[in-house]
């Protein structure tokens, strides 16, 4: 991996706990001593540190992290952090990922009680933005609302691995809802390698457990990510692929009219998660040669992580 904030070098040690927690939700291997396992335990993590235990990162570092991940073979990039301003360099990095068939999944932010400010890169149209629900499937009070939300996933009292040898921990925040979606995206890209980034994005949205209201809903977006349907559903508009399950109706929502979602923990079919420490975590499920890109020198702004340890 890469340490952006400290001027280069590797990022294979955990200084804070945030990134390891996120990485564990995505890809922790099964352990006979616990009931926990990541969503995509055979995925490979490419860690990119964009902040440390002393300072938050900035939008320039986040841009560098995204470009580095694309150039080093990532097919899904998890960003459990955000900036509050649309930065041209960050927008260019996200566009670079899209152009190279890499899906970016980003936390929506924890500022619902502070006026729901736009958060980037989650607000960019090609990015899957993720909000948080509790164990009953209801939106977490801190999870932002509005037109920008695409999907939700468990984000309260989520269990994952802690840094070093300290076992497991439970944390809350949209930072920890986001890797559930990234892990499911990794499963899709593994089971359906013929799908491009737009088709993976579409599959995530239409196979979600939809809220019983017009979608995207202001609180729940297209609904709760559904790993089983995301991998097995037959999508009529896609190229022929396998494995395949029941055909899915793209037009009609589910019969749920309660305004909440099914139990988030049980529907995800995943043991809850880990805890640890880089910052922006990048998921690699396939290696591919990428052409390098030269980043422009532009003003940067501070970024914020959404849940867990803070400096």
């Amino acid at each position: 991996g890469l340490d952006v904030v400290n001027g280069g070098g590797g990022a294979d040690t955990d200084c804070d706990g945030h990134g390891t927690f996120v990485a564990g939700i995505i890809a922790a291997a099964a352990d006979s001593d616990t009931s926990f396992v990541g969503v995509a335990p055979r995925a490979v993590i490419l860690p990119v540190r964009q902040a440390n235990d002393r300072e938050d990162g900035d939008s320039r570092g986040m841009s560098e992290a995204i470009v580095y991940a694309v150039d080093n073979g990532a097919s899904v990039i998890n960003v459990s952090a955000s900036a509050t301003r649309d930065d041209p360099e960050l927008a260019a990095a996200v566009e670079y990922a899209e152009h190279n068939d890499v899906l970016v999944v980003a936390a929506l932010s924890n500022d619902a009680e502070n006026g729901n400010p736009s958060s980037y890169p989650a607000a960019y149209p090609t990015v899957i933005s993720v909000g948080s629900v509790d164990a009953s499937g209801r939106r977490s009070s801190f999870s932002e609302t509005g037109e920008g939300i695409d999907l939700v996933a468990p984000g309260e009292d989520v269990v994952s691995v802690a840094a070093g040898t300290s076992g497991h921990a439970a944390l809350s925040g949209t930072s920890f809802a986001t890797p559930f979606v990234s892990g499911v995206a990794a499963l899709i890209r593994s089971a359906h390698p013929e799908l491009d980034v737009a088709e993976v994005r579409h599959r995530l949205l239409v196979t979600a457990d939809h809220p019983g209201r017009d979608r995207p809903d202001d609180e729940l977006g297209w609904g709760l990510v559904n790993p089983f349907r995301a991998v097995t559903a037959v999508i009529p508009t896609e190229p022929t692929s396998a494995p395949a399950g029941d055909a899915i109706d793209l037009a009609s929502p589910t019969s749920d009219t309660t305004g909440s979602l099914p139990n988030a923990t049980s529907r995800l079919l995943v043991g809850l998660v880990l805890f640890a420490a880089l910052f922006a975590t990048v998921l690699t499920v396939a290696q591919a040669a990428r052409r390098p890109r030269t980043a422009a020198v532009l003003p940067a702004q501070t970024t914020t992580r959404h849940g867990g340890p803070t400096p």
Side-chain angles (χ1 to χ4, degrees), residues 277-296:
L278 304 174
F279 187 34
T281 299
V282 178
L283 167 65
T284 303
V285 295
Q287 294 297 324
R290 308 287 188 184
R291 289 184 296 105
R293 169 184 177 274
T294 301

Side-chain angles (χ1 to χ4, degrees), residues 44 213 241 301 310:
V44 177
R213 305 184 286 246
S241 60
Q301 61 169 323
T310 55

Side-chain angles (χ1 to χ4, degrees), residues 131-289:
S132 168
V133 293
D134 64 17
S136 72
R138 295 189 180 277
R139 180 184 66 86
S140 301
S141 61
F142 54 77
S143 185
E144 289 201 1
T145 61
E147 297 179 356
I149 183 171
D150 291 318
L151 292 171
V152 291
E156 291 192 42
D157 298 320
V158 175
V159 176
S160 187
V161 290
T165 58
S166 51
H168 295 75
L171 297 173
S172 299
T174 55
S175 273
F176 313 125
T178 303
F180 281 105
V181 176
S182 295
V184 175
L187 296 179
I188 294 172
R189 304 220 81 162
S190 177
H192 303 278
E194 75 284 357
L195 300 184
D196 64 24
V197 65
E199 290 164 330
V200 172
R201 190 163 48 240
H202 180 256
R203 177 172 275 266
L204 281 166
L205 298 182
V206 300
T207 60
D209 291 327
H210 302 309
R213 305 184 286 246
D214 290 341
R215 59 186 191 263
D217 178 75
D218 283 350
E219 292 191 349
L220 305 172
W222 284 75
L224 179 71
V225 65
N226 184 319
F228 182 76
R229 287 187 0 137
V231 172
T232 65
V234 175
I235 310 295
T237 57
E238 287 181 357
T240 302
S241 60
D246 297 332
I248 184 170
D249 182 349
L250 304 186
S252 61
T254 65
S255 59
D256 175 21
T257 58
T258 64
S260 64
L261 295 171
N263 184 288
T265 305
S266 63
R267 290 306 301 269
L268 275 160
L269 308 177
V270 180
L272 285 178
V273 192
L274 306 93
F275 166 72
L278 304 174
F279 187 34
T281 299
V282 178
L283 167 65
T284 303
V285 295
Q287 294 297 324

Side-chain angles (χ1 to χ4, degrees), residues 1-16 18-20 22-23 26 44-52 57-74 76-81 277-284 303 305:
L2 178 70
D3 186 342
V4 173
V5 72
N6 292 320
D12 59 352
T13 58
D14 192 336
C15 62
D16 174 79
H18 187 275
T20 302
V22 169
I26 296 170
V44 177
I45 296 293
L46 173 64
V48 184
R49 180 181 290 125
Q50 184 262 320
N52 59 30
D58 58 32
S59 55
R60 180 175 295 127
M62 184 182 288
S63 304
E64 182 181 350
I66 291 171
V67 171
Y68 173 85
V70 173
D71 288 343
N72 284 273
V76 177
I77 297 176
N78 184 95
V79 184
S80 288
L278 304 174
F279 187 34
T281 299
V282 178
L283 167 65
T284 303
T303 61
R305 68 197 82 189

